[in-house]
Amino acid sequence: MRHKILSYICAVCVIFGFYSCSDSWLQEDSLTESSSSTFWKTSDDAMMALVACYDGLQSEQLYNGGPWNFGPLNMDCMTDNGGHFNWSGWMEGYDIANGTHSPSSWAIGSYWSDCYEVIKRCNSLIANIDRVEIPENDRARFKAEALTLRALIYTNLTMTYNDVPYLTEPLTLENAECPATKRADIVAGEMANLKECANALPQNADLGRITKGACLAILGRMALYNEKWDEAISAYKTILGLGYSLAPDYATLFTQSGQNSPEIIFSVRFEGPGQSEGCSFNAHWNTPLEAMNGTLNLADEYYYLDGTKATTQDYAEWVDGKLDVWQPHASYWDNRDPRLKATLFVPGMYWNGAGGSSAWYGGAAASLSTVYVMKYFDPTDTGNSWDNGQDFYVVRYAEVLLSLAEALVQKGGYQESEVLKLVDQVRQRAGMPTVEQVEGTGLSKDALLDIIKHERRVELAFEGLRLFDIYRWHELKKAVDAVEYERTHFGMAYEKRTFNGDRDYVWPIPTGELDSNKQLEQNPLWK
């Protein structure tokens, strides 16, 4: 799919007018009317339309994103995992992180628009693919790929805005305005589609194309996020038999040499430098991304190698009424879960020859929290960091294992040994002891859920899932308090974060959408 994108994307942009992903979903010009007399005839036409659907995922609001755009890494910085939005409002979404956002916030509108741009492209293919003269199995596959991509986007939309317009066909002048649909109805409709799509998709395909495993993983994620435990369990258990496996080395997985791993179930693919098809979500200067900081709260979650917990108090000293974390004892960073230094750039590490034992990393750059984001970043290729070929992993096999474990526990009636086996696979790949060795057996439901939640956080950090986890577990206040604790007790230069109650679990409908669609009403929590 990567090389097909290069050959088809220019033609797609001309035929369909996909010049930008920032247009409102209420744009009135219909995709089906553009060159309708000559398009939707051949297999090349169908492939160009399909490539356009995938290309929409490369939006800087969705699965790309530079240092100050939204993107999946930056979404984690809106949680207790990161804190880069404190740089005087430079970074898109900082106001959501700080609880000061509004319906007119830039990120609120741009994320909505780019989600609906992908939906628009998918609906165009779904509505017109029957006009193309191609084999029936290809027709069914193309349609299933578009439906699966659309379901992924609706998963993200319902996790943020909750009730949204449910568009399943191209917009025309007659149906350009429509009300929001209840989240439960959207979820039911998309899950039903996904169950059918799985049968039309191949088990193996070019990297970056939707497969049966990817479809089932998105079905499982949507089911998990909406507490449909049986559907999640069924989807995830089917994936276990499709041949996926964990990569042997966690750190290497998040480099270009690791993106062909059998652990990757679905990725958004990017072409290397010089093609203008590269990614910038891991862009940096001569040092780790100066504005993208991890938190010490996240660093503490990476346990010592024997499975005991690490806390900032292990190495910090009280100075003038505050904990001094800027000159930590080196032993705090030693003998830790290997995922720590694969995820965070911590004191004592070196960035392409530059480093040091303090937060200043040999004078390279200043951190507000003493740690940077390391996952996906490549210190050996600073020249191409704004246009490089690193793929973003939308779904990994490790997520499937942990999600299945959670669904089993949440449903109840589980076998503890089955749950622990799933979690232990992820722990042992990282070189950490099993649950049985550290926490023991005969654990309560709450204790198992805490273990799974912890494992999700350290395994999946900065992969765009932490915010959704916090929302669905209703743990946003806990996350806000954790970052605030660092600000007030450690003297971190964060902007103050505020929790505004239930309102902060739902994003407001963008002002521009309310102005252009009179049938659309603001979420009651934001009125």
Side-chain angles (χ1 to χ4, degrees), residues 125-294:
L125 183 145
I126 295 164
N128 290 285
I129 191 69
D130 288 342
R131 299 166 55 188
V132 181
E133 296 180 1
I134 55 175
E136 285 303 316
N137 60 332
D138 288 346
R139 189 191 319 280
R141 178 184 177 183
F142 281 27
K143 185 179 292 188
E145 289 179 76
L147 283 166
T148 302
L149 293 174
R150 191 182 76 182
L152 171 65
I153 298 302
Y154 274 123
T155 300
N156 297 347
L157 281 170
T158 53
M159 284 301 295
T160 45
Y161 306 93
N162 201 24
D163 300 341
V164 298
Y166 186 28
L167 307 182
T168 59
E169 58 184 26
L171 289 174
T172 65
L173 290 174
E174 289 73 26
N175 69 354
E177 294 188 6
C178 61
T181 299
K182 291 294 183 182
R183 169 175 168 169
D185 294 335
I186 298 173
V187 168
E190 293 302 284
M191 285 182 60
N193 289 334
L194 288 169
K195 291 175 184 178
E196 292 187 5
C197 289
N199 296 322
L201 290 163
Q203 186 167 324
N204 299 295
D206 293 339
L207 292 175
R209 286 191 73 170
I210 291 290
T211 59
K212 180 177 183 178
C215 177
L216 290 170
I218 293 168
L219 170 60
R221 184 185 290 180
M222 180 174 268
L224 185 77
Y225 285 0
N226 290 276
E227 300 185 355
K228 297 182 179 298
W229 312 127
D230 285 327
E231 288 90 339
I233 292 169
S234 176
Y236 287 135
K237 283 192 172 182
T238 303
I239 294 173
L240 298 187
L242 295 182
Y244 297 103
S245 61
L246 296 176
D249 182 67
Y250 184 83
T252 304
L253 179 63
F254 298 95
T255 66
Q256 291 186 54
S257 63
Q259 57 196 20
N260 295 333
S261 167
E263 181 169 348
I264 310 307
I265 296 178
F266 178 58
S267 61
V268 175
R269 308 217 71 193
F270 292 92
E271 184 66 19
Q275 305 290 340
S276 298
E277 282 290 323
C279 76
S280 59
F281 61 78
N282 56 357
H284 53 76
W285 292 276
N286 292 323
T287 59
L289 185 58
E290 191 168 348
M292 189 175 287
N293 292 224

